[in-house]
Amino acid sequence: MMKKQSPETLVAQAAGHVEPVSRGLAPGIYPATTYERDPDLSLPGGAVYARDENPAFDAAEDMLRELEGGAEAMLFASGMASGAALFKALRQGDRVILPQVMYFALQVWVKGFAERFGLELELVENDAASYAAALARKPARLVWVETPSNPLWTITDIAAVADACRSCGAKLAVDNTVPTPVFTRPLALGADFVMHSATKGLNGHSDVLAGALVTRDKSDPIWQGAREERRLGGAVLGPFEAWLLARGMRTLFVRVERAAANAAALADWLDARPDVARVLYPGLASHPDHDVAARQMHGGFGSMLSILTGGGEERARAVKGRLKLFRRATSLGGVESLVEHRKSVEGPTSQAPADLLRLSVGIEALQDLKDDLKRALEGND
Ligand SMILES: *Cc1c(COP(=O)(O)O)cnc(C)c1O
């Protein structure tokens, strides 16, 4: 028997997918929406209709299932659609625990859905003790964790939350978009489901909107419900997007390892500068959650960091305005570096410090990124 492949090898080779007619060494693109039956009505290709199953999904789903160490993976039309599918699979009256700080749009959607559909919702601080306390007060059906969380890059101890969930029969879902499976593997830490906005690091080229779920157990009723939700709710990914995503994922390791190395070097360098008030990066020993991050993240701390510029909103906006290589845009996980003033993006209810700039670090030359930040911090155009 062949030794099980390393994840790096598996994704570089598209999990063994080739174009079946020509043996071309890239997965095929499958635009068909319907599939022919044999005279005896059997389905030689296995698929009936493209909303039910589609060979276009296989390469990316196989890669992601292996990367996360799960039993099955499912692509969706967006990260939001993938997260929503898990909540739509719950039963009326189920209790759900969400963190205070998580992807803002998903929290807004869950709150509205919970009210209309009848879910009992509790929001807790992003630390494991707060989750355990909420579960001890009353068991829940589904618990949601996002770590590191935006924009302070707070770390939640997944193994500790998983323990608390197991003791009361709750299922744990982790939004693993920010670290990617390169740095964090929630299922190995005891989670039941992993969610991704594949729009971010998995695809990595800021040119596909996609989402994904991975499960530990295919027979889990929540998973079955999410599968039904994709098939009948219809938030399926298009075949070209699925193909682009698989293409992007083949370079996942080199992209995110390089971006994380850039981010770690920038965090150290910015931390030593007197014209930066504070650097928030889980890889820095000064980060309040560094110990948990060092335990649960392997091989790096990701490509996201924030700086407090000092001098209030005015200085933060001025620094941002002078940056040239760091492009002023939202989103994260792409090969290009981005900067965002979170407070003005999030609006009046934002908890983000007024002088906080969020950096999504790309794969550019480190020196170019330093030069850009240095010029902007020193007030030169
Ligand atoms: C972007 C993002 C989402 C939402 O995904 P979309 O693909 O934009 O729908 C969810 N969670 C996190 C952490 C994200 O960064």
Side-chain angles (χ1 to χ4, degrees), residues 77-82 102-106 144 146 148 150 175-178 195-200 208-211 331-332 358:
S78 67
M80 284 294 289
S82 65
M102 61 180 278
Y103 188 75
F104 190 65
L106 187 58
W144 195 265
E146 180 182 324
N150 174 46
D175 182 340
N176 202 31
T177 301
V178 169
M195 175 239 149
H196 279 281
S197 167
T199 312
K200 315 293 166 57
V208 172
L209 193 76
S331 200
L332 58 99
R358 182 181 95 171

Side-chain angles (χ1 to χ4, degrees), residues 86-366:
L86 281 181
F87 293 97
K88 289 184 187 169
L90 299 175
R91 288 184 300 253
Q92 204 170 28
D94 279 347
R95 174 166 147 84
V96 169
I97 296 177
L98 296 186
Q100 301 273 8
V101 182
M102 61 180 278
Y103 188 75
F104 190 65
L106 187 58
Q107 192 185 75
V108 168
W109 181 85
V110 175
K111 281 178 176 166
F113 177 72
E115 199 176 296
R116 290 189 307 276
F117 180 73
L119 295 174
E120 184 188 319
L121 201 60
E122 182 172 347
L123 267 57
V124 298
E125 298 282 326
N126 288 53
D127 60 277
S130 301
Y131 280 93
L135 288 167
R137 269 196 303 282
K138 190 174 175 191
R141 178 106 190 278
L142 185 68
V143 174
W144 195 265
V145 162
E146 180 182 324
T147 178
S149 70
N150 174 46
L152 305 179
W153 314 114
T154 305
I155 306 290
T156 307
D157 187 333
I158 296 171
V161 178
D163 273 348
C165 287
R166 211 171 301 114
S167 63
C168 71
K171 291 290 154 75
L172 174 60
V174 177
D175 182 340
N176 202 31
T177 301
V178 169
T180 80
V182 172
F183 297 127
T184 304
R185 304 214 317 156
L187 299 182
L189 296 165
D192 299 285
F193 309 111
V194 172
M195 175 239 149
H196 279 281
S197 167
T199 312
K200 315 293 166 57
L202 287 180
N203 179 61
H205 294 76
S206 308
D207 55 9
V208 172
L209 193 76
L213 295 175
V214 187
T215 186
R216 156 197 299 291
D217 172 11
K218 276 197 252 191
S219 68
D220 186 289
I222 297 179
W223 181 257
Q224 295 292 328
R227 178 162 281 294
E228 193 81 343
E229 177 54 36
R230 184 178 76 168
R231 196 168 71 82
L232 301 178
V236 293
L237 191 62
F240 295 105
E241 287 74 12
W243 186 87
L244 270 175
L245 172 58
R247 178 193 159 116
M249 285 174 70
R250 295 179 74 170
T251 55
L252 177 70
F253 281 86
V254 286
R255 283 187 288 101
V256 304
E257 283 171 359
R258 160 104 177 194
N262 273 350
L266 285 181
D268 280 337
W269 175 80
L270 288 162
D271 203 34
R273 289 185 67 91
D275 55 4
V276 174
R278 178 124 194 245
V279 181
L280 293 162
Y281 183 64
L284 287 178
S286 61
H287 191 281
D289 299 327
H290 175 69
D291 291 350
V292 186
R295 223 182 312 128
Q296 106 179 353
M297 302 183 78
H298 296 286
F301 297 92
S303 56
M304 298 303 296
L305 65 115
S306 295
I307 57 175
L308 306 187
T309 59
E313 177 162 345
E314 200 182 331
R315 174 160 154 82
R317 280 170 168 271
V319 170
K320 187 181 82 156
R322 286 191 290 262
L323 286 166
K324 293 198 169 93
L325 279 183
F326 280 87
R327 316 306 292 244
R328 287 176 292 277
T330 195
S331 200
L332 58 99
V335 290
E336 67 284 291
S337 294
L338 305 178
V339 60
E340 194 170 44
H341 182 246
R342 286 302 295 178
K343 193 175 166 66
S344 45
V345 170
E346 290 175 12
T349 60
S350 174
Q351 305 284 313
D355 64 340
L356 181 143
L357 292 179
R358 182 181 95 171
L359 304 178
S360 172
V361 180
I363 65 169
E364 300 93 337
L366 177 61

